[in-house]
């Protein structure tokens, strides 16, 4: 048995907990908001961009097995509330949607690397589509806390699924909504919006997630104007902790391509290192 | 006070619950104190750098999972400089899992990881190797004996052979490993499986096929653990679908001296800690003073002798 | 109107859904019209009388089951006088499953059941046989080739070889069966497993070990069906854990030309009838005109060639 | 393809049906009565001694896989009711116990060979213990319908678990209750009761089930006095239809021992052919 103690074991940072459901309502046809009661200590450890790994219940004929990763949509230590905004897509999220007030839900987290906002960045811009907004929502909270200017470019299929707009407004963000219906969400139009911002107040950093189109656009605009940025990425996960290496994606690093774990090295990555897919 | 300690050959473990290779890493220290475990077992490493398989690398299949990670590895240098020192922060024995494409490369790695701080070497002979048409060494007794002989010569540390369920000759393979000098058998790795998304008609794994782990594997792995315990005199470490203390006890009764927990940790990261507590309570409730009292106590009666050699279900 | 008929060599089936041997008998006519099925497959018989194994002969394991029935048989005389005539009341092809302790006895039985009214012979080469240390013929390519050669000489009826998952050489065994003249491969039988009642410490089966069937087996059998379809040119009949039309379609996409349903019939005796209906609806919904259009359509891309030979999960 | 049609396929006799639960109440601590709404046509095919194979629900963390065999406790075509009396012992029956009014239950049946009452038999005696009484209850119904005299010897652990006594009385049976508590259920005492009946009105046939003690006693008494009898036996089942051969038990037949399927050749067997266990 090895008895040499020259390194100190790392501190605990993630918790497996059974939390109580406070509510779980449809926000609109596709999205639902899950509100859990969580201990203040847990919520105080949460950061924008991190996620929880949810053990979706086996109920109503649904038998999800692996956990499902979900970004933190909101964390409110004072109200002891942890929020997730999710889209019902398959077995796990269908099971999630069946949770009712008073049910328990086993969660693991907070996990992953959060977004960073450097002290010198003043003008922040986030751009996201659909459920991707869930991931960026707590960034607005953080921006307000730090007294940063935030512009949220929210794009969606139609006006009716534009979520989080109120939330972003409520956080004092400057909200620009773009929808497919009227063509305002086209890449060209987003680029035009960005250029207007760059020419106006300026942009110190971009934040985005999920969409390949937006990634490519922000990489291009970022390179052209020397604007740094971060992207939150998704990949199928098993452990969520960094142990199984199933959640890798390729990144540009040191002149080559390396595989990094979305759950551990991410889910937030440097926007220029991300490889479009 | 019940005793949970068990011996795997010369190595004493404070309890019989340890992680399975590839389902555990330093990262689990985020969730609980790793010194609670009976042993630490690392992800299999190879000598050189390996990228691993294309994604998706895992998928669900009816309450169990498939994986085809492909053993990404940063190579032995990184491992010795970073991973071994990390585990020296703990009092728990460190078991290093290794693999190689050829028997010689495998043996060389075995010698290289025989360093202070490493308490045993688990040799993953369940991986495809290029000398045997891409078959695992542990599919045949002959290739098992050959590679284990080379590995035995390469180290004086305890050598655990990890067997594969992808064989019709479990007992023979187990005996071949014992004869070549294995100190223990880890039974078993995943079984080759496949799943197809009928909507896209694409395999659900980037690598087409992968290994089945989790509850579905349990009855197969339990059978193998029993066969190995009957066929050899060396300790058997059960592995496959163990997620509760009842599962662990089933393997111990079948003849395993300890167990490894894999996929269950993905579902409940604290599964092993819960199992250790529950094992203590189970033994107390049964009025036993040591976990050793249940090892190999299966009441197999007359069937015992004949069955060990029978590999086919009737 | 979609077409459900498929060809298994020279034998045309009106639909690709048939029962698996040992999970079907005349008795199911109590529940539905057996002429709805694609084929009738009898329980394996042996030449002489066999009593079968001690009870308990089945048990549950996490949403699947183990069985060790032991092939009780009333012998070939009873079979020819009673069972064959019964099925002549139907228009559906009759497939007779046989087994033997030695290759010669097996071949003799094969000749004896080659009578009018029998449309194909399924040879259960997954059973233990005394010439191979109690191993099944289908564990090794060599013993598969030998027994299949003798069986081929014994009959001119279509010969279906039923393979075992208890092997590390599925592709090689499949090719050996094909080379020896098999007309089709049935993939697969049950995988050897075990369960112990931790309260009594007794094995849950009277025979200690038994075969795992049901949902847990599906990913393993699917992998084998895919391997066999890639490794040979003869039709593959998928079998293992199929309980819904989605499962059946998954096997067809993987390369099976038809499927057998076993344990699912125990859970829902009308499972096969439901599956036939659902298959029709599935094809209609997909805008296809024949089930043949989905057979073997898995998008396996580049992996296709390399993987067939790989038996070990990484 | 074989086109010779010299045999006619047999008629359908067993049905796989989803029935509605009318009630599912505890009869006492150990036993529960499950009442299902069933079509009249199905109930008219039921006979005393037959059973159904129940697909116990996957609920409340219970995940039974195989069906569970249960004797018909009562079948009432006019009320469209099918009754089962069961004891909660494991995963399947625990799941059964969770069924509530309005839930569905998938049943397969009626299955197996029923009891027979020969026209010349007038004095019938049934003897059973515990949940075994469930199997014999419909025999009392049948006996009354045929105008036979029936004596029911009901034995149990304690007075409080003596079930079916009212039911048997209600059917006009002559009920004798024996309990372990006061020793009245001892084999010797049962034998004395039987002898009194033989010396009194006489016994034309015995019916029993389940208990090894009772089996041996009735075999002895039956042999001594030349009284025929039938026993309903249990064995673990998979298919319930005769296909899988898992449910065999040994029987004395033609001078040897043969394995017969409890689900097909039984569950009712000749009492002298049964082998005590
Ligand atoms: C870090 C991270 C944060 C996320 N945050 C959110 C969020 O806030 N709101 C939201 O609606 N969704 C989010 N997702 C996606 C969410 O995890 C998937 O929608 C969900 O896992 C689908 O599960 P399912 O069983 O319903 O679908 P199925 O398609 O049945 O899932 C099958 C398997 O694929 C995995 N999977 C499917 N889609 C994804 C995906 N997009 N990303 C990762 N794994 C996937 C599932 O976890 C499961 O293992 C996030 C994903 C990641 C990686
Ligand atoms: C023909 C027949 C009629 C029966 N009638 C009744 C009845 O009216 N009321 C009643 O309470 N019980 C009856 N039983 C017994 C009943 O089937 C078992 O109690 C029940 O299957 C237990 O299931 P479980 O999951 O609760 O128990 P578990 O012990 O968890 O069951 C595990 C497995 O063993 C089988 N099993 C366990 N006990 C028995 C048994 N005694 N007989 C057959 N299989 C068993 C189960 O079906 C299951 O497959 C009858 C059995 C048979 C064969
Ligand atoms: C994601 C994953 C990665 C694995 N990687 C390895 C590995 O690197 N080396 C190894 O010997 N086994 C590996 N295994 C197999 C496990 O160690 C274990 O043998 C198997 O999963 C069965 O146990 P379980 O059912 O408890 O998971 C891996 C399993 C999984 C699920
Ligand atoms: C109770 C039982 C009896 C079986 N008997 C036989 C048999 O006699 N011959 C045979 O080839 N396979 C036999 N099998 C295997 C099945 O035919 C089938 O290959 C296996 O059960 C996998 O299919 P499933 O998962 O759909 O059940 C039996 C399976 C069961 C469950
Ligand atoms: S999910 Fe396991 S390493 Fe990321
Ligand atoms: S339960 Fe299948 S034959 Fe009786």
């Amino acid at each position: 048995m090895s008895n040499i103690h020259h390194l100190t074991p790392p501190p605990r940072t993630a918790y497996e907990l059974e939390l109580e459901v406070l509510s779980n309502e449809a926000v609109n046809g596709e999205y639902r908001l899950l509100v859990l009661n969580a201990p203040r200590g847990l919520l105080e450890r949460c950061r924008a961009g991190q996620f929880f790994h949810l053990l979706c219940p086996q109920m109503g004929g649904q038998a999800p097995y692996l956990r499902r990763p979900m970004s933190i949509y909101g964390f409110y230590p004072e109200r002891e509330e942890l929020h997730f905004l999710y889209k019902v897509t398959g077995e796990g999220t269908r099971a999630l949607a069946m949770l009712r007030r008073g049910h328990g839900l086993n969660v693991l987290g907070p996990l992953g690397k959060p977004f960073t906002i450097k002290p010198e960045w003043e003008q922040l811009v986030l751009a996201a589509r659909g459920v991707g907004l869930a991931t960026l929502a707590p960034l607005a909270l953080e921006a307000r806390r730090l007294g940063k200017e935030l512009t949220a470019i929210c794009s969606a299929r139609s006006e009716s699924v534009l979520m989080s707009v109120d939330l972003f407004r409520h956080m004092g963000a400057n909200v620009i909504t773009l929808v497919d219906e009227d063509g305002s969400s086209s890449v060209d139009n987003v680029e035009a919006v960005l250029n207007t911002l760059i020419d106006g107040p300026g942009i110190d950093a971009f934040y985005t997630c999920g969409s390949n189109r937006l990634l490519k656009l922000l990489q291009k605009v970022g390179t052209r104007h020397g604007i740094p940025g971060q992207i939150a990425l998704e990949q199928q996960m098993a452990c969520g902790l960094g142990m199984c290496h199933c959640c890798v994606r390729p990144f540009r690093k040191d002149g080559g391509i390396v595989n990094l774990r979305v759950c551990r090295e991410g889910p937030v990555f440097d926007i220029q290192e991300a490889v479009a897919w | 006070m019940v005793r949970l300690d068990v011996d795997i050959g010369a190595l004493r473990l404070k309890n019989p619950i340890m992680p399975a290779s590839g389902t555990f890493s330093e990262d689990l220290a985020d969730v609980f104190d790793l010194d609670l475990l009976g042993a630490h077992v690392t992800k299999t490493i190879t000598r050189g750098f390996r990228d691993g398989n294309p994604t998706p690398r895992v998928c669900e299949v009816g309450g169990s999972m498939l994986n085809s990670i492909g053993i990404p590895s940063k190579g032995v240098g990184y491992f010795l400089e970073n991973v071994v020192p990390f585990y020296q922060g703990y009092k728990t024995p460190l078991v290093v899992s290794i693999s190689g494409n050829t028997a010689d490369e495998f043996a060389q790695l075995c010698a290289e990881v025989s360093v202070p701080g490493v308490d045993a070497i688990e040799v993953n002979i369940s991986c495809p190797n290029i000398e045997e048409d891409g078959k695992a060494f542990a599919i045949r007794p002959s290739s098992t004996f050959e590679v284990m002989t080379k590995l035995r010569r390469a180290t004086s540390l305890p050598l655990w052979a990890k067997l594969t369920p992808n064989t019709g000759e479990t007992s023979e393979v187990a005996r071949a490993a014992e004869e070549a000098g294995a100190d223990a058998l880890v039974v078993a790795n995943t079984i080759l499986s496949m799943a197809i998304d009928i909507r896209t008609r694409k395999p659900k794994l980037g690598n087409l096929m992968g290994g089945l782990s989790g509850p579905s594997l349990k009855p197969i792995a339990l059978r193998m653990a029993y066969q190995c315990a009957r066929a050899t005199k060396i300790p058997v470490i059960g592995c496959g679908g163990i997620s509760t203390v009842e599962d662990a006890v089933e393997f111990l009764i079948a003849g395993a001296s300890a167990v490894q927990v894999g996929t269950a940790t993905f579902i409940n990261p604290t599964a092993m800690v819960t199992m250790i507590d529950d094992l203590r309570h189970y033994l107390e409730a049964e009025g036993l003073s040591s976990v050793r009292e249940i090892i190999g106590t299966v009441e197999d009666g007359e069937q015992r002798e004949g069955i060990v050699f029978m590999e086919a279900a009737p």
Side-chain angles (χ1 to χ4, degrees), chain A, chain B:
Chain A
M1 209 181 290
S2 36
N3 266 313
I4 329 154
H5 267 251
H6 52 74
L7 280 175
T8 323
R12 282 181 63 182
T13 60
Y15 300 83
E16 186 193 332
L17 286 171
E18 182 92 5
L19 300 184
E20 195 189 325
V21 175
L22 293 177
S23 67
N24 186 22
E25 311 274 293
V27 171
N28 63 35
E30 292 181 50
Y31 301 94
R32 299 180 73 94
L33 176 68
L34 175 66
V35 179
L36 304 176
N37 180 229
R40 199 181 166 113
L42 180 76
L43 296 167
E44 279 167 352
R45 294 172 169 273
C46 296
R47 293 291 171 269
Q50 287 189 303
F51 68 99
F52 274 81
H53 214 20
L54 309 184
L55 191 60
C56 304
Q58 308 229 340
M59 65 202 291
Q62 306 297 318
Y65 179 63
L66 296 170
R67 286 176 182 260
R68 303 307 199 245
M70 285 293 159
S71 299
I72 300 171
Y73 179 59
F75 54 101
Y76 304 96
E78 48 321 327
R79 277 147 58 190
E80 300 195 332
E81 284 181 14
L82 178 60
H83 294 202
F84 298 99
L85 185 76
Y86 63 99
K87 183 169 168 179
V88 176
T89 55
E91 188 148 37
T93 45
R94 269 198 300 273
L96 268 193
M98 291 179 198
L99 287 173
R100 296 287 166 268
R101 186 182 174 86
H103 282 156
L105 176 67
N106 184 300
V107 309
L108 170 69
L111 299 171
K113 299 268 172 301
F115 289 108
T116 50
I117 302 179
K118 289 205 179 155
E120 61 270 28
W121 296 344
E122 289 302 335
Q123 296 290 341
L124 312 179
V125 169
L126 65 80
R129 258 186 90 77
V131 80
L133 292 165
T135 307
L136 295 174
L139 190 67
L141 211 89
E142 185 80 355
R144 187 169 68 162
R145 214 177 42 79
L146 298 172
K148 309 286 184 183
E149 279 293 313
L150 179 77
T151 303
I153 307 175
C154 304
S155 119
R157 247 189 301 131
S158 75
E159 281 283 1
S160 68
V161 294
L162 260 181
M163 297 160 309
S164 318
V165 171
D166 290 347
L167 184 81
F168 285 123
R169 288 228 169 84
H170 186 73
M171 309 278 172
N174 173 10
V175 180
I176 300 169
T177 62
L178 307 175
V179 289
D180 301 355
E181 274 170 352
D182 63 7
S184 64
S185 67
S186 71
V187 178
D188 285 350
N189 197 45
V190 177
E191 187 166 2
V193 169
L194 290 173
N195 283 331
T196 312
L197 288 170
I198 292 169
D199 295 343
I203 301 179
D204 292 326
F206 294 127
Y207 300 88
T208 189
C209 67
S211 155
N212 207 22
R213 285 191 329 170
L214 282 176
L215 168 61
K216 286 191 200 159
L217 175 64
L218 294 180
Q219 284 180 332
K220 190 179 79 175
V221 176
T223 308
R224 190 184 304 145
H225 298 277
I227 303 169
Q230 298 183 339
I231 182 166
L233 290 168
E234 297 187 359
Q235 181 60 284
Q236 211 181 346
M237 295 186 180
C239 72
L241 287 161
M243 305 189 288
C244 73
H245 292 262
C246 81
C247 64
V248 295
R249 294 185 75 108
F251 293 88
R252 286 185 210 92
K253 266 224 149 110
D254 309 325
I257 295 286
V258 295
N259 273 333
L260 297 177
R261 295 165 297 182
V262 170
C263 73
R264 191 87 195 169
E265 282 88 35
V268 174
F269 295 92
D270 183 291
I271 212 167
Q272 297 297 348
E273 292 179 355
V275 177
W277 55 98
Chain B
M1 195 45 201
V2 294
R3 288 184 56 178
L4 293 186
D5 60 293
V6 294
D7 293 330
I8 305 299
L11 194 63
R12 176 154 301 180
L13 310 183
K14 63 179 162 309
N15 69 60
I17 312 290
M18 68 183 99
S21 176
T23 65
F24 174 75
S25 71
E26 304 87 289
D27 306 302
L28 195 57
D30 286 359
V31 187
F32 64 84
D33 175 5
L34 301 186
D35 253 340
L36 294 169
L37 300 174
H40 295 154
V41 183
T42 66
K43 166 92 185 155
T44 300
I45 59 154
T46 51
R47 282 200 80 209
F49 176 87
R50 274 171 68 109
D51 224 9
N53 286 336
T55 55
R57 290 179 172 186
V58 297
C59 72
E60 286 195 8
V61 283
S64 291
M65 69 176 279
L66 304 188
N67 87 80
S68 175
I69 306 293
I71 314 204
S73 174
K74 292 190 177 154
V76 63
Y78 177 91
F79 185 79
L80 294 174
E81 275 161 44
N82 297 277
V83 182
V84 175
F86 172 89
Y87 287 105
Q88 293 192 314
Y90 295 94
K91 294 193 268 316
T92 304
L94 177 63
V95 182
V96 171
S97 171
I98 60 170
S99 192
N101 273 323
T102 67
D104 289 325
E105 187 195 288
F106 206 158
Q108 196 173 344
L109 178 57
C110 189
E112 285 165 350
V113 297
S114 298
V115 298
V118 175
D119 300 279
I121 298 175
E122 181 175 296
V123 289
N124 180 0
I125 56 173
S126 328
C127 276
N129 84 87
I130 51 176
E131 281 164 351
E132 303 275 337
D133 282 348
K135 304 235 180 261
F137 294 106
I139 281 182
R140 300 196 184 101
S142 55
S143 43
T144 301
F145 185 82
E146 264 171 60
V147 72
M148 288 304 297
T149 303
K150 288 189 175 168
L151 292 164
R152 179 69 288 172
R153 284 198 205 113
T155 188
S156 56
L157 283 175
L159 202 57
W160 300 359
K162 178 138 178 205
L163 305 189
T164 175
N166 298 304
T167 178
E169 309 180 87
T170 300
S171 302
E172 291 85 346
V173 166
R175 275 196 297 270
E178 179 183 36
E179 278 161 29
D183 296 291
L185 302 171
V186 181
V187 185
N189 216 308
T190 56
I191 187 161
L192 193 65
S193 295
M194 188 172 178
I196 296 172
D197 182 329
I198 66 167
R199 214 178 38 75
T200 63
R201 300 199 191 163
K202 283 198 187 137
K204 288 193 179 173
L205 292 179
N207 191 43
L208 274 191
M209 300 183 188
L212 174 69
S213 66
S216 294
L217 182 60
K218 202 189 79 175
I220 302 168
L222 184 79
R223 177 263 300 176
M224 290 181 66
Y226 173 80
Q227 286 178 311
C228 291
R230 287 281 170 256
T232 71
K233 294 195 166 54
I234 51 179
V236 167
I237 298 163
C239 177
I242 298 173
S243 39
T244 63
V245 71
E246 287 80 15
D247 297 335
V249 166
E250 199 175 351
F251 274 85
L252 296 172
I253 290 175
S257 298
V259 297
Q260 293 186 348
V261 178
T263 308
T265 294
F266 296 169
I267 311 306
N268 291 108
T270 53
M272 288 184 282
V273 180
T274 309
M275 232 178 266
I276 295 165
D277 278 352
D278 289 351
L279 182 59
R280 193 172 285 115
H281 297 141
Y282 167 84
L283 294 169
E284 277 164 5
E286 295 279 305
L288 301 173
S289 61
S290 162
V291 67
R292 294 168 193 240
E293 291 170 44
I294 61 171
I295 295 171
T297 55
V298 55
E299 298 196 2
D300 45 8
E302 307 149 21
Q303 321 274 352
R304 178 169 177 160
E305 298 312 324
I307 208 72
V308 179
F309 305 97
M310 203 203 73
E311 285 280 345

